[in-house]
Amino acid sequence: MKTVQTTNAPAAIGPYSQGIVVNNLFFSSGQIPLTAEGVMVEGDIKAQTHQVFKNLQAVLEEAGASLDTVVKATVFIKNMDDFAAVNEVYGQYFSVHKPARSTVEVARLPKDALVEIEVIALVK
């Protein structure tokens, strides 16, 4: 088992790691729209979702994976009314390769984020 840590994504805000590699699988912790410096991105759900993908790309790269090797994504959104907007941004990152996905509405996310995404990916 290998712990994944990069300064190109926000540090964990609790007792967990950015991700773990086990054999050839990478499991990310949920990424929220914090910059690598730990500042919450201002703006609407689309701006926040783009930041989440920037963070995911950073931890995936550090793990030896990429968006192209993601097999499963779980999307947590604060308001299901934002589903179409999140899908629009999500589709920009997964336009050809479309991993399995679940999307759930939650009552509250860390730091009052509007969206959080976690992924499972194959390590190259």
Side-chain angles (χ1 to χ4, degrees), residues 62-75:
E62 185 67 23
S66 71
L67 289 175
D68 290 337
T69 66
V70 170
V71 295
K72 174 73 165 75
T74 306
V75 180

Side-chain angles (χ1 to χ4, degrees), residues 25-26 30 46 49 65 76 103 124:
L25 286 177
F26 169 68
K46 288 182 181 182
T49 304
F76 305 94
T103 302
K124 301 174 190 173

Side-chain angles (χ1 to χ4, degrees), residues 6-57:
T6 178
T7 57
N8 294 324
I13 56 176
Y16 59 89
S17 60
Q18 292 171 326
I20 297 286
V21 175
V22 178
N23 298 325
N24 66 331
L25 286 177
F26 169 68
F27 299 85
S28 81
S29 289
Q31 292 295 315
I32 61 173
L34 292 174
T35 64
E37 296 75 35
V39 177
M40 180 63 76
V41 166
E42 298 291 328
D44 65 5
I45 189 73
K46 288 182 181 182
Q48 288 200 7
T49 304
H50 278 295
Q51 182 62 46
V52 167
F53 272 100
K54 183 176 181 181
N55 297 341
L56 286 170
Q57 287 172 313

Side-chain angles (χ1 to χ4, degrees), residues 66-113:
S66 71
L67 289 175
D68 290 337
T69 66
V70 170
V71 295
K72 174 73 165 75
T74 306
V75 180
F76 305 94
I77 55 177
K78 184 172 178 162
N79 186 336
M80 197 55 81
D81 291 340
D82 289 331
F83 184 80
V86 170
N87 254 356
E88 183 181 326
V89 175
Y90 185 96
Q92 293 173 27
Y93 294 91
F94 292 118
S95 59
V96 176
H97 169 64
K98 294 177 175 53
R101 182 181 89 180
S102 299
T103 302
V104 294
E105 180 182 69
V106 295
R108 194 165 181 205
L109 290 166
K111 299 201 176 266
D112 291 321

